[in-house]
Amino acid sequence: MAKDSEEPKSEQAGEVGLPNAHTTAPDSPSEIDPSIRSLKDLIDRATGRDFAGVEYESDAGIAEVWPFPFLALVGQPEMKLGLLISLINPAVGGVLLVGPRGTGKTTAVRSLIDLLPAVWHSHCRYGCLHDDIENGGVDAVCPNCAEKYARGEPLAALEPARLVELPLNARLEDVVGGIDERAAVHNRMRLRRGILAFADRNLLYVDEVNLLSDEVVDAILDAAAQGRYTVRRGPLAATYHSRFTLIGTMNPEEGNLRPQILDRFGLRLLVRGLADSNQRMEAYKRTQAHLSNPRQVTSLYADETILARDEIQAARDLLPQVSLPKTVAKNGLELIKSFDIASLRAEITMFEAARAHAAAAGRKRVNMDDLRTVAPMALRLRRSPFMTKYFVDQEGEEEEIIHALDKLSEKSPPKTKKKPAKTKKKKSSG
Ligand SMILES: [Zn+2]
């Protein structure tokens, strides 16, 4: 790698416009190439570049306020790609990160904050949007919003998507909502929206999803699948929108997910610890630097982060035009068939992820490389090791039963040895 001792010029820190803006300064390798059209290249380059040191400060700020930059994450290319794909195309149906503790799953998810695309955020507690009226008429929104719409007032504003975290100890009441205690104090009965409604149009992050109670997991997955949910408390009922991208993590050492829950996550990303010592050292360096001076680490990646966010938005905008050619679709379906995967979510996730992957590279047609890249994330853990083992166990048990029966018949008068040679045992009628 050719190193350049040149210090970054101050003019470089100016505004970074759209990726296809001008600025040509090929003589400075530290300059960001604004003509990049591949999100992957951008991420790889930013992530892999030499990490400049930071000034260590004893109390530079709270790390949570400055999340670890996504582009500073070392290694884990599949995890990063999968997360970006879910930002580009929510139709992949969520992401599950599977791996042991301390492999950076939570850090990676939180680092997405700076990359989140802009989405319409409703002004209303029920999450009403213009789209709802376009798709389902004025009855699809609450009476308040229907009136607003009639007056020509906006129902929503375009804002960056948010990362909503489900607390580990969340109760069903917190998740779906319930009686508003504050209103109850004033003798008014009102429902308060839950975390699922807050997550509408945003990302919902559920850490350790395998440790949640079944009722909470079911509520989340139902809401995610339907895009809305209804709460009933006594005489009160309300329906809230819940169109969120679900990102979950689980550590298989701490218990498994029920197969029907596992099936409802689109992409499955295996997150292993970094195997390469150099990478581990680099990760350590960056983590320590971020702990000491989070603001400065963030600023080191600020320009590229803005570029990446613009690329994600551009890919999202391109997505509706990205088509899946018949030959690629056919190969994909053959692949699923050969793996004996039952769930229809397999192809939905795989094809939608492939479309997002093509869009991230600025292409309007999915090709076999897209499919090759996303197929493992979309299809792994879908063959249901549980069911396979279950059937094998059952077969084993069946053999045992037959074997035991054979033994018994050996002890008792040996009427038949192994196969009764065509003895007509059928009850002949008449
Ligand atoms: Zn409304």
Side-chain angles (χ1 to χ4, degrees), residues 362-377:
R363 275 183 284 108
K364 289 188 185 174
R365 276 167 72 86
V366 173
N367 62 28
M368 278 307 290
D369 278 339
D370 297 320
L371 207 61
R372 202 169 287 125
T373 307
V374 303
M377 332 180 190

Side-chain angles (χ1 to χ4, degrees), residues 110-123:
R110 288 189 180 144
S111 74
L112 289 174
I113 287 172
D114 290 332
L115 297 176
L116 296 178
V119 295
W120 289 101
H121 276 122
S122 176
H123 295 317

Side-chain angles (χ1 to χ4, degrees), residues 1 20 24 48 62 88-89 92 121 146 204 216 237 239 248 263 326 334 364 378 394 420:
M1 223 191 242
N20 48 3
T24 43
I62 306 160
I88 293 169
N89 188 1
V92 295
H121 276 122
L204 178 64
V216 168
T239 299
D263 177 54
K326 267 185 189 166
E334 283 291 321
K364 289 188 185 174
Q394 290 309 305

Side-chain angles (χ1 to χ4, degrees), residues 147-163:
E147 277 175 33
K148 268 188 173 179
Y149 181 76
R151 290 197 298 267
E153 289 173 24
L155 307 187
L158 201 58
E159 291 163 5
R162 292 186 281 255
L163 182 74

Side-chain angles (χ1 to χ4, degrees), residues 109-180:
V109 174
R110 288 189 180 144
S111 74
L112 289 174
I113 287 172
D114 290 332
L115 297 176
L116 296 178
V119 295
W120 289 101
H121 276 122
S122 176
H123 295 317
C124 145
R125 52 206 310 243
Y126 301 109
C128 308
L129 295 171
H130 278 118
D131 275 4
D132 301 330
I133 297 178
E134 272 160 35
N135 297 330
V138 275
D139 289 344
V141 296
C142 74
N144 249 343
C145 287
E147 277 175 33
K148 268 188 173 179
Y149 181 76
R151 290 197 298 267
E153 289 173 24
L155 307 187
L158 201 58
E159 291 163 5
R162 292 186 281 255
L163 182 74
V164 179
E165 288 195 35
L166 191 87
L168 254 183
N169 52 358
R171 302 162 304 158
L172 187 63
E173 187 89 351
D174 308 320
V175 173
V176 299
I179 299 289
D180 188 341

Side-chain angles (χ1 to χ4, degrees), residues 8 17 19 31 36 88 127 188 200 220 222 229 239 241 384 407:
E31 193 97 72
I36 303 164
I88 293 169
R188 274 182 293 157
D200 185 38
I220 295 170
D222 284 344
Y229 69 97
T239 299
H241 284 294
S384 180
K407 266 195 163 174

